[in-house]
Amino acid sequence: MNHHRHLISDDLAAILALEAPRRTQRPLLWTRRKRSSERSGGAIAVGPFIVTDGNLADAPPDVRRAVIAHELGHIRRGHTAAMAGAFVLLLFYALSSLTNPPTVGWVIVNCTLLAGLASLALWATRPARELEADDYAASLVGPVAVAEALRWSLAGETASPLVLRRLEALAGR
């Protein structure tokens, strides 16, 4: 439990230091260029990295911190590692099938089935992963900031049932 508190305080310090771009933080932050036609999603966690959308620069500081904290929650809760592991297993299976395949069609069918099952598993567990990441972010920057970031990311679009559920969970904290 003490180790968990230490991680949270380190993460909070890193998030609050986002205003000082000369400092290096972990996980690494990458920003991709802003495209005017894109919806502003904010950021995505990819492995140990957080890739921010160029639109995030236009967000208020509290929203930026909450978006980064949410993505950090995916990393700290192991979501990105699990997804990367599943991808690597699928890749190894596909490569091993190619070494001695009975037929090319068999490889295509098996890889398609595995990719379909992996996609189904990711879809089925997405609500839990998003709620866990929101909870982690709320522990760092507060539930109000996380809810504000969720509303900002909608960019005027209608909230999905999952986003409504996430906002409801944050309101109950």
Side-chain angles (χ1 to χ4, degrees):
M1 189 72 153
N2 192 18
H3 176 67
H4 179 66
R5 282 192 186 141
H6 179 68
L7 264 181
I8 288 178
S9 65
D10 286 351
D11 289 346
L12 182 57
I15 288 167
L16 294 176
L18 288 177
E19 303 304 319
R22 291 184 183 163
R23 290 187 56 185
T24 302
Q25 304 107 22
R26 288 182 180 252
L28 295 176
L29 297 175
W30 289 350
T31 302
R32 59 187 187 95
R33 204 175 323 165
K34 178 180 179 178
R35 296 182 187 151
S36 60
S37 63
E38 283 183 321
R39 200 174 141 232
S40 41
I44 185 170
V46 181
F49 305 103
I50 296 174
V51 180
T52 65
D53 188 320
N55 294 321
L56 189 59
D58 298 334
D62 287 347
V63 168
R64 286 196 304 265
R65 288 184 191 106
V67 168
I68 299 299
H70 173 86
E71 297 308 325
L72 188 58
H74 283 302
I75 293 169
R76 294 291 189 234
R77 297 290 191 233
H79 304 159
T80 57
M83 289 172 59
F87 175 76
V88 167
L89 286 175
L90 181 61
L91 182 64
F92 280 147
Y93 176 79
L95 291 175
S96 69
S97 296
L98 293 174
T99 59
N100 189 15
T103 65
V104 173
W106 178 85
V107 173
I108 292 170
V109 167
N110 275 321
C111 288
T112 303
L113 286 173
L114 283 173
L117 288 174
S119 296
L120 182 62
L122 289 174
W123 173 80
T125 60
R126 181 170 182 244
R129 290 191 322 266
E130 293 301 326
L131 289 168
E132 283 182 1
D134 285 346
D135 188 53
Y136 189 86
S139 73
L140 293 177
V141 298
V144 172
V146 178
E148 183 182 342
L150 262 173
R151 288 186 196 95
W152 174 85
S153 71
L154 289 173
E157 294 187 12
T158 305
S160 69
L162 176 57
V163 170
L164 292 174
R165 183 173 163 200
R166 291 168 64 191
L167 288 168
E168 184 179 308
L170 288 165
R173 277 196 87 200

